[in-house]
Amino acid sequence: MSDFDPTGDDAIATNRIRTPGLDAELVPVDAEVRVHDARADGEDLDRSLRPPTLADFVNQVQVTEQLGIFIEAARRRGEPLDHVLLAGPPGLGKTSLANIVAAELGVPLVQTAGPALERKADVASFLTALEPGSVFFIDEIHRLGRAVEETLYPAMEDGELPVVLGQGAGARTVTLPLPPFTLIGATTRSGLLTTPLRDRFGVSHRLEHYSADHLALIVERSAKILEVEIDAEGARTIASRSRGTPRVANRLLKRVRDFAQVKGRGEIGAAVATDALTMLEVDSGGLDRADRALLDTIATKFAGGPVGLSTLAVAIGEEQDTIEDVLEPYLLQQGLLKRTPRGRVLTQRAYDHLGLPVPEGAASLF
């Protein structure tokens, strides 16, 4: 009779494989093999550009002031912060705020995304592993499935996780106590959140687009971190073409830095920034080639509109979802495009931006 124990160390020892590139080390079959990815260096750099404290977070003054009060009150009571919902367009700092809240509270941050939570067990594995007081951050929370979302209700309200054991008539529900935690949800489409989920957030904020002055401050701060010399005019030039979004401002700064190092002396002034952004095909209004192609197509091929979305998608060679979710929001925000029951229509401001005359038939649409 063998002394082998299928649940003991012998089983673990035999359930190992050699991993290519790790000849000297045996790795369990079901272990997660961590391989260094060179792309992580860029991600670390992006994280370093994030503001570390509420004081460094510019523009959203009302949001940061309120969060500062709520965080301090929670600290004094020795309680976790109430659940927080952050809404707004992408790139405005929702993830940065979640990191700041965890840092200000001095607690761990556990991060995931709505699409990654496909089953109730996925949520349960995260919640049961949280340390007391932790911040649990769910990005794109509006993309949670209904069954997964309902699992969060008792966890958020009562700090409990009901688990069904067994099936059929013999099934029974066991309630697991959870450590106190703060759920921070981020969404770019708050209208898709169900009312029961939205109502369970005690703190709700919406982030707005940044002014050029505030973006210039962000560009100057990021330039210091990247060790790039930039003057006020150079920062202002980049900020004015960043669509009111810090993520876009930091991306443009990095590309202008490359241009300045190769084509100039490494210093970024207004002239260098303008030349670099012209090379990148980002115009004075922050529009890129795809934005201008959409406007130009409506203006020249469809006499300013109206034109249907499906027709427009075929005309410019883009998917309808790309037009609606990527291209149109900024054009609508800037007043360059209108959505009407009959289709898309250009505005007077769009013709002025393109430098084109307004067709006679289109003038009556304004």
Side-chain angles (χ1 to χ4, degrees), residues 10-319:
D10 293 331
I12 297 174
T14 57
N15 192 28
R16 294 177 181 265
I17 59 172
R18 289 191 178 274
T19 304
L22 299 175
D23 296 335
E25 184 177 354
L26 291 173
V27 183
V29 171
D30 56 350
E32 178 183 357
V33 180
R34 296 187 179 274
V35 180
H36 175 72
D37 186 350
R39 291 173 297 180
D41 294 337
E43 293 170 359
D44 290 341
L45 181 58
D46 287 339
R47 282 196 293 269
S48 71
L49 297 183
R50 297 186 188 276
T53 66
L54 287 174
D56 295 318
F57 200 97
V58 302
N59 187 63
Q60 314 289 342
V61 178
Q62 184 175 3
V63 174
T64 55
E65 284 185 349
Q66 291 184 26
L67 277 178
I69 293 173
F70 302 150
I71 290 171
E72 180 61 26
R75 264 201 309 244
R76 292 185 181 183
R77 292 193 302 265
E79 300 175 355
L81 179 67
D82 206 349
H83 305 302
V84 180
L85 178 64
L86 301 173
L92 298 188
K94 296 184 290 295
T95 302
S96 295
L97 273 177
N99 282 270
I100 289 173
V101 168
E104 298 272 355
L105 289 171
V107 298
L109 173 74
V110 178
Q111 181 173 347
T112 187
L117 302 175
E118 299 178 348
R119 303 168 301 168
K120 293 182 179 181
D122 297 332
V123 177
S125 63
F126 275 105
L127 294 177
T128 55
L130 292 176
E131 298 180 20
S134 295
V135 170
F136 183 32
F137 175 54
I138 303 180
D139 200 7
E140 297 299 314
I141 195 171
H142 63 271
R143 296 178 64 183
L144 286 174
R146 180 57 60 89
V148 174
E149 178 183 310
E150 290 175 352
T151 305
L152 289 175
Y153 295 167
M156 296 174 68
E157 278 193 318
D158 307 318
E160 298 177 343
L161 182 65
V163 178
V164 178
L165 301 179
Q167 295 180 347
R172 60 193 180 92
T173 301
V174 176
T175 302
L176 301 178
L178 296 174
F181 70 99
T182 297
L183 175 64
I184 298 182
T187 177
T188 55
R189 306 182 69 177
S190 56
L192 296 182
L193 287 175
T194 62
T195 301
L197 179 59
R198 187 187 299 111
D199 290 346
R200 282 173 168 82
F201 287 97
V203 180
S204 181
H205 292 296
R206 178 170 181 84
L207 276 62
E208 304 294 342
H209 284 93
Y210 290 55
S211 67
D213 291 337
H214 287 130
L215 282 176
L217 295 175
I218 292 174
V219 170
E220 291 177 359
R221 176 184 175 274
S222 297
K224 291 180 181 178
I225 295 173
L226 297 173
E227 299 180 352
V228 179
E229 292 189 23
I230 188 171
D231 61 23
E233 290 301 318
R236 178 78 183 190
T237 300
I238 295 174
S240 65
R241 305 189 186 197
S242 297
R243 297 173 172 258
T245 307
R247 182 181 296 163
V248 175
N250 285 329
R251 174 173 58 83
L252 293 180
L253 171 63
K254 294 175 186 178
R255 301 293 72 80
V256 173
R257 172 193 60 175
D258 296 340
F259 183 91
Q261 290 175 343
V262 175
K263 295 290 188 179
R265 296 178 297 178
E267 302 174 357
I268 300 178
V272 171
T274 301
D275 291 343
L277 293 170
T278 300
M279 182 196 71
L280 293 170
E281 299 184 273
V282 178
D283 64 24
S284 59
L287 274 61
D288 58 20
R289 179 194 292 182
D291 297 322
R292 291 192 300 275
L294 185 145
L295 296 178
D296 187 69
T297 298
I298 298 176
T300 58
K301 295 184 179 180
F302 301 102
V307 56
L309 177 61
S310 58
T311 302
L312 184 58
V314 174
I316 66 174
E318 286 284 3
E319 296 292 334

